[in-house]
Amino acid sequence: PISKNFASIDEKPLASASIAQVHAAKLRTGEDVVIKVQKPRIDESLKADLSFIYVASRILEFIQPDFERTSLSAIAGDIRGSMLEELDFQKEAQNLEEFRRFLIENQLQNEATAPLVYGE
């Protein structure tokens, strides 16, 4: 349960985007943090929308063969893959940790920062 780790979570988001919202929160240890919350069922909606775009691009290539040379369906497929990766918050956390290590190993902490990721 959320109450196991968090003393409080602000209901009003600090920021909102297409797939998630960011909320201020306080851990039970007293630390102020922000949490990223994926919007409910956004994965189903995004998969359906992106699949439609891919199928539509294939139909366009069939109807108008000139579009096939522009690799319209390949572009739609790449976009689909990239967007679906955005749903994987575990992968995002791994990337942040890797970037944090890179900054430390290259003594770049004063040049850039990376959020500290808290595990469950």
Side-chain angles (χ1 to χ4, degrees), residues 57-88:
S57 68
R58 294 292 295 166
I59 291 169
L60 282 172
E61 287 176 345
F62 179 76
I63 293 170
Q64 181 54 265
D66 288 342
F67 285 156
E68 195 168 359
R69 281 185 260 149
T70 64
S71 301
L72 191 59
S73 63
I75 293 168
D78 287 347
I79 291 170
R80 182 180 190 277
S82 295
M83 291 296 295
L84 293 178
E85 279 184 10
E86 293 292 319
L87 296 171
D88 187 347

Side-chain angles (χ1 to χ4, degrees), residues 13 21 25 39 41 57 70 87 98 103 113-114 117 120:
Q21 293 180 328
K39 293 181 178 177
R41 294 179 301 283
S57 68
T70 64
L87 296 171
E98 186 176 323
L103 292 175
T113 60
V117 175
E120 287 186 39

Side-chain angles (χ1 to χ4, degrees), residues 3 7 35 43 51 83 116:
S3 60
I35 58 173
D43 57 334
S51 292
M83 291 296 295
L116 177 61

Side-chain angles (χ1 to χ4, degrees), residues 4-84:
K4 176 184 164 195
N5 297 315
F6 297 98
S8 65
I9 299 173
D10 288 353
E11 286 187 35
K12 183 178 178 187
L14 295 171
S16 185
S18 57
I19 65 167
Q21 293 180 328
V22 177
H23 293 261
K26 186 177 286 286
L27 295 176
R28 288 243 171 249
T29 59
E31 292 173 87
D32 290 320
V33 296
V34 295
I35 58 173
K36 189 172 181 180
V37 180
Q38 198 168 99
K39 293 181 178 177
R41 294 179 301 283
I42 192 66
D43 57 334
E44 298 165 13
S45 178
L46 192 58
K47 286 174 185 175
D49 290 349
L50 293 169
S51 292
F52 172 78
I53 291 170
Y54 177 76
V55 169
S57 68
R58 294 292 295 166
I59 291 169
L60 282 172
E61 287 176 345
F62 179 76
I63 293 170
Q64 181 54 265
D66 288 342
F67 285 156
E68 195 168 359
R69 281 185 260 149
T70 64
S71 301
L72 191 59
S73 63
I75 293 168
D78 287 347
I79 291 170
R80 182 180 190 277
S82 295
M83 291 296 295
L84 293 178

